[in-house]
Amino acid sequence: MSGRAERGLPADYIPPLASVDPACFGIAVALVDNRVFTAGNAEQAFSIQSISKLFTLTLALGMLGDSLWRRVGREPSGDAFNSIVLLEYERGIPRNPFLNAGSLVVADALLSSARAPRETIGEILRFLRFVAEDDGIAIDPVVAQAEKATGYRNAALANYLSSFGNLTNHPEHVLGVYVHHCAIAMSCRQLAMAGRFLAARGRNPATGHSVVSEERTRRVNALMMTCGHYDGSGDFAFRTGLPSKSGVGGGILAIVPAVASIAVWSPGLNAQGNSLLGIEALDILSRRMCWSVF
Amino acid sequence: MSGRAERGLPADYIPPLASVDPACFGIAVALVDNRVFTAGNAEQAFSIQSISKLFTLTLALGMLGDSLWRRVGREPSGDAFNSIVLLEYERGIPRNPFLNAGSLVVADALLSSARAPRETIGEILRFLRFVAEDDGIAIDPVVAQAEKATGYRNAALANYLSSFGNLTNHPEHVLGVYVHHCAIAMSCRQLAMAGRFLAARGRNPATGHSVVSEERTRRVNALMMTCGHYDGSGDFAFRTGLPSKSGVGGGILAIVPAVASIAVWSPGLNAQGNSLLGIEALDILSRRMCWSVF
Amino acid sequence: MSGRAERGLPADYIPPLASVDPACFGIAVALVDNRVFTAGNAEQAFSIQSISKLFTLTLALGMLGDSLWRRVGREPSGDAFNSIVLLEYERGIPRNPFLNAGSLVVADALLSSARAPRETIGEILRFLRFVAEDDGIAIDPVVAQAEKATGYRNAALANYLSSFGNLTNHPEHVLGVYVHHCAIAMSCRQLAMAGRFLAARGRNPATGHSVVSEERTRRVNALMMTCGHYDGSGDFAFRTGLPSKSGVGGGILAIVPAVASIAVWSPGLNAQGNSLLGIEALDILSRRMCWSVF
Amino acid sequence: MSGRAERGLPADYIPPLASVDPACFGIAVALVDNRVFTAGNAEQAFSIQSISKLFTLTLALGMLGDSLWRRVGREPSGDAFNSIVLLEYERGIPRNPFLNAGSLVVADALLSSARAPRETIGEILRFLRFVAEDDGIAIDPVVAQAEKATGYRNAALANYLSSFGNLTNHPEHVLGVYVHHCAIAMSCRQLAMAGRFLAARGRNPATGHSVVSEERTRRVNALMMTCGHYDGSGDFAFRTGLPSKSGVGGGILAIVPAVASIAVWSPGLNAQGNSLLGIEALDILSRRMCWSVF
């Protein structure tokens, strides 16, 4: 189990991600009874990339409530994560908040509340440190810089959204927020800890503090199930029966409602840009533990 | 709560469906402990239409196993139920088995096993009567005839699939099977009974007999969650957190894993072709009973 | 100049076309001063296929006048000849009468005038024999039969048009007319003769009899220029500067307004389904003779 | 003939264009025998907008020759001028050089030759002054500024092209060149003069100096015929039979090969963004003078 065929290849369009050792594999399981199990490279920080969209969405829903849904849909797209086609057909309303275009709208909403890009990024970081109970979480400046330099596709999406009036801030500023939250680095342990509130009906199971309402937690989990893996979402739901969100850094956060928050990481990706071994691991774990929600 | 705005309008492209009284509403809940609760017009038979696709899929998976997935995908489409666009882009492989095109492939697979259209339709009916424990289930010949007469779009899809070599039988014969299983008439009670095996890990909870394997049950439920309501699937999952399958006759079958099979019926539809009051009822019920899987 | 790379390959989806000798090449030039020059296999009949659409369009415009344009557009499509995608986006109105879908609408219009498929086909043949002054023109029954047997894609298009109400006759009957006019066999000489009225302001230059009005002739030529070669139309106009219509049998009819009607034939096709050597020959001829309209 | 229905409305997405008096109408005809006829507001400068693409294309072909066609196609698109959809399907190669995306590639090619945006814009202006024999042609700085401020859609296209590696300069710089050449202001007289070389086989008919080769002239005219009016190109060719290029400022430059260069201007536009009265005028003129190339 060492060849490229079995593990996939790391994302190559963001140079620092391409140089990560494809042999890495880590997993952390945070149970709602506060036990945490880890294995492999579970303490090594990796770029969470699109998994961050889950936390910016939660934050934006907390600030704006359901008015956010006037600017972004809740339907799976059947298209690649960075497709611009549907935006034209749907007049600038992204299909869901986990597509790059949808997440740019979420970043714009956060930016409108926090006033400036720096403050917005700070707020996102504070939220992640709060839910993970870990002040060591930080942005990887090399990754942020690399994405900014090569992110023409995201710049196209942001400008396109602006042309339909669906960004209220300058595209450059929105892209600044987006690129930085995607460049947040976390270990499997940190990520599993950060996801606990989604497994525990919106509360931190250690402290009992409410992060979001129980109903909103259910809804975010539903979005993860239908849209969390781009055009591989249906297949992942079919195989594991778990709501989850993937990132091109090779991480996946999966939620077992009322039971556990699970983070896996392996940098090799499949054709849809999701961690090949990560999916495999979650498939086996979900079957052995009977953790499918279905 | 009597206006058209609150209830939607019945499907008008199949004449016999357009004439159903929009004031009808029925619900039946079959618990896995074998209790059944009903309310409203729960004993009145209606055209199950696309809900039948759930049962033909189950039947085809039982016969062919996972080889079926070489001919049809498992991803939500983001398109309307009768779209032909994706078929062209994806070279004749329908996105999922609940789209009309996908269901025609399933009908073709069943037809190849049973040899003749009449036998295939008979087998589908027998399966439904078996899982519902009700020999009164039958096809509405008026609906079948009406669909056959006006079904140019489905004829286009069938011929298109044939042009890519993804039908093995003559399009006319496949359409015959398809039109007849969509024209099956069932009451809410019959439908809730028929869905029990999906709530009870693949078994009939009354007799303990296995209908399909537990794993396959989970997978069919996952497909219902991601693709069960066409381009309204994401929204339905978001609102109710339940796997379900809708039909343009106004019926919806929803599954609460390990708890219940629920059938609702009200003929008025929303813009995506799903029962407007049916969704409302399942939303309220799922919230009051905390039945979301998330 | 004998390899496959230089000549392309004959169409393979219609079996009788695939068996034509790819080494064939013929050309005929009918000048408006009534001289005719021929070279190569100019007397050998081949399947004119889509070139027939030019003549059915002329016939339909003569019968219906500009009301035909309510049912079919006049814009190049940028898509392949048998694409169904645009039909969905444009609600059943084909982009132009030279796409398969557009030509089915033209066949339907002819069928509505002539009452029955057999009469319609007879009328199309009579028109071709009249403009070519040649009673030897006939339908190749083997080609007609072969297309009927494998024409699932065209059956899909016809049914799709019907689903939008843009066919008034039964799809089967429209397909019957379409398949038969595509199966007409003509030699280069016959084809060049048949096209003279388009070079001679709507008149037969030998007899002076008017076939269509001068204005309509100009308009049909304009359509040939913008839409005559499917998604290769722009490139052909760019290279030769001549209005023309191609067919997958390897024939091309090109018009030099006020000068000549040219028919070339060579069965090997390029990626867009147009005769590779035929285009080459017209390119050279148009340059040497300064026949570009530009 | 004064109502909005007869004249259309000026483009409203570029504020300075929206404020132009819709009652304006001008026409200038420059014959290859050096006579010039004008009528109406033929001396009033207007924003030539996309008509400038014709001249940047000619300039780029002169510098790069046919290697330009590796980066942009020659096919009509069937889509709106600013569509981004085809770019995704065709991996960053615009369909033709008159679409906004195609023209950005042309601007990038000019920029690579001239080194800096300011020099590139200067070169384009010099070329126009040279072919029109008029040093009074200038850029309207108010229009350039307005487009820069609101041009999110073009910024999206430029970044998208960059993401496919089809721009070699920074998108900002390419957009700078593009916005400025679109903001060039010319009168009908100046425009008709500038187009003479396209009517006179590549030469200035007054001086006999060669601007481009005769063959290239023919090819540019062919592109104008198939692609000059976006998704209204087929219809314009059908009606007038003349190669031409339109702009959203309400101008149209039409060429009668070997006869005349014609500029018309009227700011009210039709649904495809082409001058409504301008098309009408060219339709009548072309018919009366028998100027159709067909």
Side-chain angles (χ1 to χ4, degrees):
Chain A
M1 191 146 97
S2 62
R4 289 179 162 201
E6 286 89 7
R7 287 179 172 277
L9 284 172
D12 57 359
Y13 64 94
I14 305 171
L17 298 188
S19 63
V20 176
D21 179 2
C24 288
F25 178 84
I27 185 166
V29 180
L31 296 171
V32 295
D33 66 7
N34 296 316
R35 286 179 297 164
V36 179
F37 300 93
T38 65
N41 307 104
E43 310 289 346
Q44 188 175 330
F46 59 90
S47 191
I48 66 168
Q49 293 292 319
S50 291
I51 305 173
S52 64
K53 295 170 181 176
L54 185 60
F55 299 102
T56 56
L57 173 67
T58 306
L59 206 53
L61 285 171
M63 284 170 174
L64 300 168
D66 287 336
S67 71
L68 182 67
W69 302 118
R70 286 200 290 266
R71 296 175 58 190
V72 61
R74 301 186 291 224
E75 289 301 324
S77 79
D79 273 307
F81 62 94
N82 57 6
S83 174
I84 208 161
V85 168
L86 280 175
L87 272 189
E88 179 156 328
Y89 292 139
E90 298 180 356
R91 316 286 310 153
I93 305 295
R95 268 292 167 90
N96 68 64
F98 294 154
L99 294 168
N100 289 13
S103 197
L104 286 165
V105 169
V106 170
D108 180 67
L110 291 175
L111 186 49
S112 294
S113 299
R115 301 279 169 87
R118 188 178 294 271
E119 278 65 40
T120 310
I121 298 163
E123 209 161 316
I124 296 168
L125 260 185
R126 270 194 302 281
F127 178 66
L128 269 170
R129 289 169 177 166
F130 168 68
V131 291
E133 293 181 282
D134 191 325
D135 284 347
I137 296 167
I139 288 165
D140 182 333
V142 178
V143 172
Q145 195 51 42
E147 290 197 65
K148 216 171 169 181
T150 60
Y152 291 121
R153 184 72 87 109
N154 287 330
L157 290 168
N159 278 285
Y160 206 64
L161 289 165
S162 285
S163 79
F164 283 109
N166 202 3
L167 289 190
T168 52
N169 298 282
H170 192 285
E172 281 297 313
H173 295 168
V174 177
L175 286 164
V177 171
Y178 176 85
V179 160
H180 280 86
H181 74 62
C182 284
I184 291 170
M186 291 171 80
S187 67
C188 286
R189 176 189 292 275
Q190 289 170 328
L191 194 54
M193 292 296 277
R196 290 171 302 168
F197 74 93
L198 291 168
R201 314 215 175 290
R203 291 175 183 279
N204 178 327
T207 64
H209 290 153
S210 171
V211 179
V212 289
S213 73
E214 185 171 341
E215 187 179 318
R216 188 151 285 151
T217 305
R218 286 209 176 96
R219 294 182 158 191
V220 171
N221 285 340
L223 279 169
M224 292 169 80
M225 178 69 87
T226 54
C227 316
H229 286 230
Y230 312 119
D231 45 341
S233 298
D235 201 61
F236 186 84
F238 184 87
R239 288 179 63 179
T240 68
L242 294 178
S244 79
K245 183 74 206 77
S246 65
V248 289
I252 303 176
L253 176 63
I255 302 300
V256 191
V259 178
S261 161
I262 311 168
V264 290
W265 172 57
S266 172
L269 306 180
N270 66 11
Q272 284 80 36
N274 302 316
S275 173
L276 209 149
L277 280 194
I279 290 175
E280 206 65 47
L282 287 167
D283 188 3
I284 295 167
L285 189 66
S286 135
R287 255 189 285 183
R288 294 259 171 94
M289 305 299 292
C290 288
W291 274 351
S292 160
V293 302
F294 303 117
Chain B
M1 192 145 99
S2 61
R4 291 179 160 199
E6 286 89 7
R7 289 181 170 276
L9 285 171
D12 57 359
Y13 65 94
I14 306 170
L17 298 188
S19 62
V20 176
D21 179 2
C24 289
F25 178 85
I27 184 164
V29 181
L31 296 172
V32 295
D33 66 7
N34 295 317
R35 286 178 297 165
V36 179
F37 300 92
T38 65
N41 308 102
E43 311 289 346
Q44 186 175 332
F46 58 90
S47 191
I48 66 167
Q49 294 290 320
S50 291
I51 305 173
S52 63
K53 297 171 180 175
L54 185 61
F55 298 101
T56 57
L57 173 68
T58 304
L59 206 53
L61 285 172
M63 284 170 173
L64 299 169
D66 287 335
S67 71
L68 183 67
W69 303 118
R70 286 200 289 268
R71 296 175 58 191
V72 61
R74 302 186 291 225
E75 290 300 325
S77 79
D79 272 307
F81 63 93
N82 58 5
S83 176
I84 208 161
V85 168
L86 279 175
L87 271 189
E88 178 156 331
Y89 292 139
E90 298 180 355
R91 316 287 309 153
I93 307 295
R95 269 291 169 89
N96 68 64
F98 295 152
L99 293 168
N100 288 13
S103 196
L104 286 164
V105 169
V106 171
D108 180 67
L110 292 175
L111 185 50
S112 295
S113 299
R115 300 280 170 88
R118 187 178 296 270
E119 279 64 41
T120 310
I121 297 162
E123 208 160 317
I124 296 167
L125 259 184
R126 269 194 302 281
F127 178 65
L128 269 170
R129 289 168 177 167
F130 169 67
V131 290
E133 295 181 278
D134 192 325
D135 283 347
I137 297 169
I139 289 165
D140 181 334
V142 178
V143 172
Q145 196 50 43
E147 290 198 66
K148 217 171 168 182
T150 60
Y152 291 121
R153 184 72 86 109
N154 287 330
L157 289 169
N159 279 286
Y160 205 63
L161 289 165
S162 285
S163 78
F164 283 109
N166 202 6
L167 289 190
T168 53
N169 298 282
H170 193 284
E172 280 298 313
H173 296 169
V174 177
L175 285 164
V177 172
Y178 176 85
V179 160
H180 280 88
H181 73 63
C182 285
I184 291 171
M186 292 171 80
S187 67
C188 285
R189 175 188 293 272
Q190 288 170 327
L191 193 55
M193 293 297 277
R196 289 171 304 168
F197 73 93
L198 290 169
R201 313 214 176 290
R203 291 176 182 280
N204 178 328
T207 64
H209 289 152
S210 172
V211 180
V212 289
S213 74
E214 183 170 343
E215 187 178 317
R216 190 150 284 151
T217 305
R218 287 209 176 96
R219 294 182 158 191
V220 171
N221 284 340
L223 279 167
M224 293 168 80
M225 178 69 87
T226 56
C227 316
H229 286 231
Y230 313 118
D231 46 340
S233 298
D235 200 63
F236 187 82
F238 184 87
R239 286 179 64 179
T240 67
L242 295 178
S244 79
K245 184 74 205 79
S246 65
V248 290
I252 303 176
L253 176 63
I255 303 299
V256 191
V259 177
S261 161
I262 311 167
V264 290
W265 171 57
S266 172
L269 307 180
N270 66 12
Q272 284 81 36
N274 302 315
S275 172
L276 210 150
L277 280 193
I279 290 176
E280 204 67 45
L282 286 166
D283 188 3
I284 295 166
L285 189 66
S286 135
R287 253 189 286 183
R288 294 257 172 95
M289 304 299 291
C290 287
W291 274 351
S292 160
V293 301
F294 303 117
Chain C
M1 191 144 101
S2 61
R4 291 181 160 196
E6 287 88 6
R7 288 180 172 277
L9 285 171
D12 58 358
Y13 65 94
I14 305 171
L17 299 189
S19 63
V20 176
D21 179 3
C24 289
F25 178 85
I27 185 164
V29 179
L31 295 172
V32 294
D33 65 7
N34 295 316
R35 286 179 296 165
V36 179
F37 300 92
T38 64
N41 308 104
E43 311 290 348
Q44 187 175 331
F46 58 90
S47 191
I48 65 167
Q49 294 292 318
S50 291
I51 304 173
S52 63
K53 296 171 180 176
L54 186 60
F55 299 101
T56 56
L57 173 67
T58 305
L59 206 53
L61 284 172
M63 285 171 174
L64 299 169
D66 287 334
S67 72
L68 183 67
W69 302 119
R70 286 200 289 268
R71 296 175 59 190
V72 59
R74 304 186 290 225
E75 290 300 325
S77 81
D79 272 308
F81 63 92
N82 58 5
S83 175
I84 207 161
V85 167
L86 280 175
L87 271 189
E88 178 156 331
Y89 292 141
E90 298 180 354
R91 315 287 309 155
I93 306 295
R95 269 291 168 91
N96 68 64
F98 295 153
L99 294 168
N100 289 14
S103 196
L104 286 165
V105 169
V106 171
D108 180 67
L110 292 175
L111 186 49
S112 294
S113 300
R115 300 280 172 88
R118 187 178 295 270
E119 279 65 40
T120 310
I121 297 162
E123 207 160 319
I124 296 168
L125 259 185
R126 270 193 302 281
F127 179 66
L128 269 169
R129 289 168 178 168
F130 168 68
V131 289
E133 293 180 280
D134 192 323
D135 283 348
I137 297 168
I139 289 165
D140 181 333
V142 179
V143 171
Q145 196 50 43
E147 290 197 65
K148 215 171 168 184
T150 60
Y152 292 121
R153 184 73 86 108
N154 287 330
L157 289 169
N159 279 285
Y160 206 62
L161 289 165
S162 286
S163 78
F164 283 110
N166 201 6
L167 290 190
T168 53
N169 297 282
H170 193 284
E172 280 299 313
H173 296 170
V174 177
L175 285 164
V177 172
Y178 176 86
V179 159
H180 280 87
H181 73 63
C182 284
I184 291 171
M186 291 171 82
S187 67
C188 285
R189 176 188 293 271
Q190 289 170 327
L191 194 53
M193 292 297 277
R196 291 171 302 168
F197 74 92
L198 290 168
R201 313 217 176 288
R203 290 175 183 280
N204 178 327
T207 63
H209 290 153
S210 172
V211 180
V212 290
S213 74
E214 183 171 344
E215 186 178 319
R216 188 152 285 152
T217 305
R218 287 211 176 97
R219 294 183 158 189
V220 170
N221 285 340
L223 279 167
M224 292 168 81
M225 178 69 88
T226 55
C227 317
H229 285 230
Y230 312 119
D231 45 340
S233 299
D235 201 62
F236 187 83
F238 184 87
R239 286 180 64 181
T240 69
L242 294 178
S244 78
K245 182 73 205 81
S246 65
V248 290
I252 304 177
L253 175 63
I255 301 300
V256 190
V259 178
S261 161
I262 311 167
V264 291
W265 172 56
S266 173
L269 307 180
N270 66 11
Q272 284 80 37
N274 302 315
S275 172
L276 210 149
L277 280 194
I279 290 175
E280 205 66 46
L282 287 167
D283 188 4
I284 294 166
L285 189 66
S286 135
R287 255 190 286 184
R288 294 257 172 96
M289 305 299 290
C290 287
W291 274 351
S292 161
V293 300
F294 302 118
Chain D
M1 193 146 97
S2 61
R4 292 182 159 194
E6 286 88 7
R7 290 179 171 276
L9 284 172
D12 58 357
Y13 64 94
I14 305 171
L17 298 189
S19 62
V20 176
D21 179 1
C24 289
F25 177 84
I27 184 164
V29 180
L31 296 172
V32 294
D33 66 6
N34 295 315
R35 285 179 297 164
V36 179
F37 300 91
T38 64
N41 307 103
E43 310 289 346
Q44 186 175 332
F46 58 89
S47 192
I48 66 168
Q49 293 291 320
S50 292
I51 304 173
S52 63
K53 296 171 180 176
L54 185 59
F55 299 100
T56 57
L57 173 67
T58 305
L59 205 53
L61 284 171
M63 286 172 173
L64 299 168
D66 286 337
S67 71
L68 183 67
W69 302 119
R70 286 201 289 267
R71 296 174 59 190
V72 61
R74 302 186 290 224
E75 289 301 325
S77 80
D79 272 309
F81 63 93
N82 57 6
S83 175
I84 208 161
V85 168
L86 280 175
L87 272 189
E88 178 155 330
Y89 291 139
E90 298 179 356
R91 316 288 308 155
I93 305 296
R95 269 291 168 90
N96 68 63
F98 295 153
L99 293 169
N100 289 13
S103 196
L104 286 165
V105 169
V106 171
D108 181 66
L110 292 175
L111 186 50
S112 294
S113 300
R115 299 282 170 86
R118 187 178 295 269
E119 278 65 39
T120 310
I121 297 163
E123 209 159 316
I124 296 168
L125 260 184
R126 270 193 303 281
F127 179 65
L128 269 170
R129 289 168 178 168
F130 168 69
V131 290
E133 294 181 279
D134 192 324
D135 284 348
I137 297 168
I139 288 166
D140 181 334
V142 178
V143 172
Q145 195 51 42
E147 290 198 65
K148 216 171 168 181
T150 60
Y152 291 121
R153 184 71 87 110
N154 287 330
L157 289 168
N159 278 286
Y160 205 63
L161 289 165
S162 285
S163 78
F164 282 109
N166 202 5
L167 288 190
T168 53
N169 298 281
H170 192 285
E172 282 295 314
H173 295 168
V174 177
L175 286 164
V177 171
Y178 176 85
V179 160
H180 280 87
H181 74 62
C182 284
I184 290 171
M186 291 171 82
S187 67
C188 284
R189 176 188 293 272
Q190 289 170 328
L191 195 54
M193 292 296 277
R196 289 171 303 167
F197 74 94
L198 291 168
R201 313 218 177 286
R203 291 175 183 278
N204 178 327
T207 64
H209 290 152
S210 171
V211 179
V212 290
S213 73
E214 184 171 341
E215 186 178 318
R216 188 151 287 150
T217 304
R218 286 210 178 96
R219 295 183 157 189
V220 170
N221 284 341
L223 280 167
M224 291 168 82
M225 179 70 87
T226 55
C227 317
H229 286 230
Y230 313 118
D231 45 341
S233 299
D235 200 63
F236 187 82
F238 184 87
R239 287 179 65 180
T240 69
L242 294 178
S244 79
K245 182 73 204 80
S246 65
V248 288
I252 303 177
L253 176 63
I255 302 300
V256 190
V259 177
S261 161
I262 311 167
V264 290
W265 172 56
S266 173
L269 307 179
N270 67 10
Q272 284 80 37
N274 302 315
S275 172
L276 209 150
L277 280 195
I279 290 175
E280 205 66 45
L282 287 167
D283 188 4
I284 295 167
L285 188 66
S286 134
R287 254 189 286 183
R288 295 257 173 96
M289 304 298 291
C290 286
W291 275 352
S292 162
V293 301
F294 303 116

